[in-house]
Amino acid sequence: MVFRIFIFLPICDPSGIMSDFDFLSRHEGSLRIFCAFCATLRERILVVITPQTFKYFNRNFIFAPRNTQFMELNEQELIRRQKLEELQQHNINPYPAELWPITHTSKEMLEGFGTNPDAYREVSFAGRVMSIRDMGKAAFGVLQDSIGRIQIYVKRDDICPGDDKSDYDFLFKKMLDMGDIIGVKGYVFVTKMGETSIHVQSFKLLSKALRPLPVVKKDADGNIHDAFSDPEMRYRQRYVDLIVNPQVREAFVKRSKLTNSMRAFLNEKGYMEVETPILQPLYGGAAARPFKTHHNTLDMTLYLRIANELYLKRLIVGGFDGVYEFAKDFRNEGMSRFHNPEFTQVELYVAYKDYEWMMNLVEEMVERVAIDTNGTTEIQVGEHIISFKRPWKRFTMYEAIAHFTGIDITEMDEIALATTAKGLGIHVDNTMGRGKMIDEIFGEHCEGKLIQPTFITDYPVEMSPLAKKHRSKPGLVERFEAICNGKEICNAFSELNDPIDQRMRFEEQNELGKRGDEEAMQLDEDFLRALEFGMPPTAGLGIGIDRLAMVMTNSASIQDVLFFPQMRPERVEQD
């Protein structure tokens, strides 16, 4: 393969080696490609160099600035770039700007043609080429749109009725590749094999793909070969995953239904959706490590929020009866199949309510979400059938620990609790207070065993610096978490509105921070000032959308319900 090549040579005449470049460009194997814009020629230039000679030319010629990245292209990628140049030489724009009208989706044609064929005598459609079967003067292909796939039939004399057959012989047969996006116009018919198809009367190239798609093959027995299934590649190149594994889209469609259902439910209750700051001068509302950044103009440290709780409570102080927010929150912590450093949660605060009322609302809302998302309250999750039908089971935290460990920790002080925790295999250090140890015991021995939706209520006060003290149980707070499939999906309180008590809780958190607890909350003077103006009795709720989406879509990993999960830096091999 020969490319037209230009190069600036600081020490010798290019004419003396141009033939050598032509020879080099015909070498097989991986080639180095450098693209640039030549101001003198006013056109883009292409340099192709084999790995065997790269070091020699790098010593003698100037290719690009020092920070230029060279691309390693395989044979298919080189062929597609050659086709791109040929299209441009034939005055065919491989990336036209004009709109292409869409009259029907693939699903509409496949489902509607049989009952109303007259409605599909003229159709305009666009999609990605997923396969082509060349039969000489005709061809079959498959186009994929956002909903599904449909077969097309292309006959040379139909799209080229005159003497000029270049649209078929050159553009369709020679220039099109799998992955290209084209628009077609024609009519719908059924082939002799009984497959609903589009008989193409005209087509247009809408976007030339320069990289080949992975070819997923299915044999006669229905077995899949060469599937694009490596998790890291799927998450890193989600765009390819969505193209070649269209079933992946279903999880994201359900996730969208989930949030739409929840938003509609809350709106129907009369609560207002609001927005609060993501960049915050103090982080609070949860026990977590924040991401830190710096504002240059204000010359101050800011944090990406770990929760939006304290700002929403300020709005309750300001007089709103019910506010909620779908929030992107950020926690600088470990990553796993249940944790992503950037995550979505909805937080809701309603004045003049308590945590018992909020438990009933959560049951009602999540039951509706299950129906709106899956059409039923019973969801298959792994090997379990999980039922979201009300009412859900309820345990106090102490009851749950006693139930699963056989140990009653209700009256234990910090020293006795540390001994018990160690006996249960929990690592204990000096940074951990009583609440932290109880949380570790519950997480290690109870949480993973709660498969059906279950409320865990009445937490120790040390674990919940923002919750109101229990009205009848000293040492506890009015708090619940909903656990499902072994993981927390929501957290809620009767919110603490006593500013004196709240200050004392913040100060206790400061002491934990001094002992080395990196997740201890900061003391927020402005929030305390807001409470001093008076906040009505309030129930507050936070639901992890990503965790709930995992359950509703039967996904084993949080990465499967995030379009673009956080990944480690991609390793790039260098010579």
Side-chain angles (χ1 to χ4, degrees), residues 14 37 50 93 111 173 193 324 356 406 426 480 543:
F37 182 82
T50 61
N93 184 356
E111 293 182 355
K173 288 188 65 175
M193 299 299 293
Y324 72 93
E356 292 280 358
I426 306 297
F480 72 82
I543 296 180

Side-chain angles (χ1 to χ4, degrees), residues 520-572:
M521 293 188 192
Q522 293 182 310
L523 193 152
D524 189 331
E525 287 288 356
D526 181 70
F527 175 66
L528 290 171
R529 178 170 56 193
L531 288 187
E532 289 170 357
F533 280 97
M535 185 176 84
T538 299
L541 167 71
I543 296 180
I545 298 299
D546 306 326
R547 292 264 185 92
L548 186 58
M550 287 175 63
V551 175
M552 293 295 173
T553 61
N554 191 15
S555 297
S557 170
I558 197 171
Q559 286 89 350
D560 291 325
V561 296
L562 300 174
F563 273 124
F564 304 105
Q566 187 65 48
M567 304 290 289
R568 291 182 176 84
E570 188 171 6
R571 292 192 299 272
V572 179

Side-chain angles (χ1 to χ4, degrees), residues 454-475:
T454 304
F455 288 121
I456 302 298
T457 69
D458 301 345
Y459 283 58
V461 66
E462 297 91 343
M463 294 178 62
S464 312
L466 296 170
K468 183 173 289 189
K469 289 180 180 177
H470 201 284
R471 65 196 76 177
S472 62
K473 299 177 181 178

Side-chain angles (χ1 to χ4, degrees), residues 249-346:
R249 298 173 183 228
E250 183 61 26
F252 296 102
V253 171
K254 285 187 176 182
R255 180 184 172 121
S256 180
K257 290 179 179 179
L258 183 159
T259 54
N260 288 339
S261 173
M262 197 172 288
R263 181 175 278 113
F265 177 89
L266 295 174
N267 288 342
E268 289 168 10
K269 295 289 186 182
Y271 308 137
M272 187 171 77
E273 184 171 8
V274 298
E275 296 178 347
T276 61
I278 293 175
L279 288 175
Q280 301 180 351
L282 295 171
Y283 58 91
R289 280 190 298 176
F291 287 94
K292 184 192 300 186
T293 187
H294 186 80
H295 194 294
N296 291 334
T297 301
L298 298 177
D299 190 24
M300 65 182 292
T301 297
L302 293 173
Y303 303 91
L304 295 181
R305 68 182 173 199
I306 59 175
N308 48 342
E309 175 173 345
L310 302 188
Y311 282 94
L312 293 174
K313 287 181 181 178
R314 287 171 169 95
L315 296 179
I316 296 296
V317 171
F320 289 100
D321 283 340
V323 293
Y324 72 93
E325 180 177 14
F326 282 88
K328 280 290 186 184
D329 292 331
F330 308 84
R331 297 181 184 177
N332 197 356
E333 299 172 340
M335 294 168 57
S336 73
R337 66 188 186 97
F338 295 107
H339 298 88
N340 195 67
E342 174 185 345
F343 64 97
T344 304
Q345 67 174 336
V346 60

Side-chain angles (χ1 to χ4, degrees), residues 1-51:
M1 185 186 309
V2 179
F3 290 87
R4 190 159 59 102
I5 298 171
F6 299 91
I7 189 164
F8 296 101
L9 306 176
I11 58 174
C12 58
D13 182 355
S15 61
I17 63 154
M18 189 58 73
S19 60
D20 191 27
F21 266 94
D22 287 345
F23 171 74
L24 291 171
S25 66
R26 289 195 295 271
H27 275 205
E28 296 181 356
S30 179
L31 303 179
R32 290 186 179 269
I33 305 297
F34 166 58
C35 299
F37 182 82
C38 179
T40 304
L41 299 168
R42 300 195 63 78
E43 64 177 293
R44 284 180 293 182
I45 62 175
L46 190 66
V47 178
V48 182
I49 306 163
T50 61

Side-chain angles (χ1 to χ4, degrees), residues 434-555:
R434 188 173 187 275
K436 186 77 170 178
M437 286 186 281
I438 292 173
D439 189 34
E440 291 293 325
I441 293 172
F442 178 80
E444 184 68 25
H445 292 279
C446 307
E447 188 174 35
K449 299 173 183 176
L450 296 169
I451 303 303
Q452 297 301 321
T454 304
F455 288 121
I456 302 298
T457 69
D458 301 345
Y459 283 58
V461 66
E462 297 91 343
M463 294 178 62
S464 312
L466 296 170
K468 183 173 289 189
K469 289 180 180 177
H470 201 284
R471 65 196 76 177
S472 62
K473 299 177 181 178
L476 303 181
V477 294
E478 296 191 351
R479 173 186 176 186
F480 72 82
E481 288 184 336
I483 311 296
C484 178
N485 199 39
K487 287 293 177 181
E488 170 204 341
I489 59 172
C490 83
N491 187 21
F493 311 147
S494 292
E495 299 295 337
L496 177 58
N497 61 344
D498 178 345
I500 306 300
D501 190 1
Q502 183 65 83
R503 180 176 293 276
M504 293 175 60
R505 306 271 193 97
F506 277 151
E507 289 172 350
E508 290 168 1
Q509 288 289 301
N510 272 346
E511 290 303 314
L512 289 175
K514 292 176 183 178
R515 290 168 58 177
D517 188 345
E518 294 181 329
E519 296 183 348
M521 293 188 192
Q522 293 182 310
L523 193 152
D524 189 331
E525 287 288 356
D526 181 70
F527 175 66
L528 290 171
R529 178 170 56 193
L531 288 187
E532 289 170 357
F533 280 97
M535 185 176 84
T538 299
L541 167 71
I543 296 180
I545 298 299
D546 306 326
R547 292 264 185 92
L548 186 58
M550 287 175 63
V551 175
M552 293 295 173
T553 61
N554 191 15
S555 297

